[in-house]
Amino acid sequence: MSTRLVIDHRKGGALLRHPEKAHRPDNPIARKPEWIRVKAPNHPVYHETRALMREQKLVTVCEEAACPNIGECWSQRHATMMIMGEICTRACSFCNVTTGMPNPLDDGEPERVGEAVAKLGLRHVVITSVDRDDLPDGGATHFARVIGAVRAASPTTTIEILTPDFLRKPASLEVVVAARPDVFNHNLETVPRLYTSIRPGARYYQSLRLLDDVKRHDPSIFTKSGLMVGLGEERPEILQVMDDLRVADVDFITLGQYLQPTVKHAPVKHFVTPDEFADYAAMARAKGFLQVSASPLTRSSYHADSDFAELRAAREAKLVAGRSGAERA
């Protein structure tokens, strides 16, 4: 059975979670089109996954960001861990994560994340975080500790991280890259023109440079980035961002529909149709991305385990093709 997308898994209303947005005028939430449907989260394994997250005292972006895919993912024991707390130092106008002054880091969190990954039996795990501009290294050392703890608890699990931009945090990136995650993801989120209104605490070229620097430090690490669409961007702007990402040698791009969390968040300007997503996917593949995920409900960690397997296979196929071409030459 399907239901219209009206899911809020977290305590507290919009003004409690986002006091910095209280002064903003309300943006009515547009009725969602028929193609945006999700199943209600009622599978027994969903509840088992939720219970494990509570038992381990872990935060998940699935809940904090009100992800529409939580029912499907948690029913398959796929959960995206959100480390370093549930309070973000930034106030992006698209994001439903609470803004404020975060609590001190939890020294026992890395081991609990590793234990949860082992208990869930994950082949692939995605670990993200809030922005921690309050920390001297932006949380880079904590990310590295979590990666190490997962490797120790579940050695065969591949690790994908979705990091902040480490803006004005010199040498932080090197700390994370040295921990050697399998996939380094950092989302550009939107086109440069919209940064001042949608992602005011970030800088487009800093995010782009971060992805480029990952490859410069360790070309073996897969890089990934994602965009939301429906915020008022134009098609040529999306195609230009794709080109920018390819110049940075990013391997994997995701595109999904922006869905407005509350009336205090940025409004949806346009619901992108499945056909438009298919067109974006075709363009991205033509530009040379090894892996593309583009659909209304695509999110950074949606189907991340199967996508990673395809990404690794695509790189191997590309290397084989390159060797064959060199031999023929």
Side-chain angles (χ1 to χ4, degrees):
M1 176 180 176
S2 294
T3 182
R4 286 197 174 277
L5 184 64
V6 185
I7 298 177
D8 190 338
H9 308 280
R10 303 142 329 282
K11 62 184 181 293
L15 298 185
L16 291 177
R17 291 176 63 84
H18 308 289
E20 80 290 344
K21 295 181 173 69
H23 68 282
R24 298 179 183 177
D26 287 357
N27 293 311
I29 298 178
R31 182 181 178 86
K32 296 170 182 66
E34 292 299 312
W35 62 78
I36 298 182
R37 297 269 185 164
V38 295
K39 290 184 178 180
N42 56 10
H43 194 284
V45 178
Y46 164 86
H47 296 289
E48 290 174 14
T49 303
R50 187 175 186 278
L52 178 61
M53 295 302 107
R54 300 293 80 78
E55 175 192 324
Q56 299 295 110
K57 299 179 182 178
L58 296 176
V59 178
T60 69
V61 74
C62 319
E63 297 171 287
E64 295 302 313
C67 180
N69 304 313
I70 189 170
E72 177 185 348
C73 293
W74 283 28
S75 296
Q76 299 172 24
R77 293 188 172 87
H78 297 160
T80 298
M81 318 292 180
M82 190 168 82
I83 61 174
M84 298 193 282
E86 57 190 16
I87 302 174
C88 186
T89 54
R90 298 194 191 173
C92 297
S93 64
F94 65 87
C95 184
N96 202 39
V97 173
T98 305
T99 300
M101 179 53 68
N103 296 317
L105 291 178
D106 180 349
D107 195 56
E109 182 177 56
E111 286 67 35
R112 293 201 308 277
V113 172
E115 186 177 343
V117 169
K119 285 185 175 181
L120 287 167
L122 299 182
R123 295 176 303 175
H124 185 80
V125 64
V126 182
I127 300 162
T128 188
S129 78
V130 290
D131 278 287
R132 291 297 304 256
D133 297 310
D134 59 309
L135 299 174
D137 69 349
T141 301
H142 199 76
F143 255 106
R145 285 192 59 211
V146 171
I147 293 169
V150 172
R151 293 257 189 258
S154 185
T156 62
T157 301
T158 50
I159 300 172
E160 178 173 331
I161 57 170
L162 173 55
T163 76
D165 58 12
F166 300 121
L167 183 63
R168 303 184 189 93
K169 307 293 181 182
S172 292
L173 176 67
E174 289 88 336
V175 172
V176 181
V177 171
R180 303 205 73 247
D182 296 281
V183 181
F184 193 114
N185 185 1
H186 175 68
N187 287 333
L188 295 184
E189 305 293 8
T190 190
V191 301
R193 177 175 58 85
L194 298 179
Y195 260 56
T196 54
S197 60
I198 300 302
R199 203 177 172 219
R203 302 293 180 269
Y204 177 80
Y205 288 104
Q206 163 67 19
S207 289
L208 194 63
R209 184 165 53 247
L210 185 83
L211 292 161
D212 186 62
D213 284 347
V214 173
K215 287 290 193 185
R216 182 169 55 84
H217 288 297
D218 189 341
S220 71
I221 296 177
F222 289 104
T223 49
K224 177 177 176 181
S225 191
L227 295 173
M228 299 172 293
V229 293
L231 283 161
E233 71 289 332
E234 300 292 337
R235 185 173 184 273
E237 292 177 301
I238 291 288
L239 299 182
Q240 181 60 59
V241 171
M242 289 183 188
D243 288 338
D244 291 345
L245 288 171
R246 287 303 303 129
V247 169
D249 199 23
V250 170
D251 301 296
F252 187 173
I253 187 172
T254 62
L255 295 98
Q257 173 69 53
Y258 166 66
L259 297 173
Q260 183 182 347
T262 76
V263 295
K264 295 298 182 181
H265 286 78
V268 175
K269 297 293 182 68
H270 173 56
F271 285 106
V272 178
T273 68
D275 285 346
E276 289 175 285
F277 274 109
D279 178 61
Y280 279 136
M283 292 300 297
R285 291 189 184 95
K287 290 176 183 292
F289 289 97
L290 290 179
Q291 181 73 352
V292 179
S293 179
S295 74
L297 291 177
T298 288
R299 297 297 182 267
S300 291
S301 54
Y302 190 45
H303 295 163
D305 57 342
S306 57
D307 282 342
F308 176 71
E310 293 178 16
L311 180 62
R312 189 157 50 182
R315 173 185 277 179
E316 182 58 31
K318 184 177 180 180
L319 290 173
V320 169
R323 285 195 294 268
S324 298
E327 289 170 2
R328 286 194 298 271

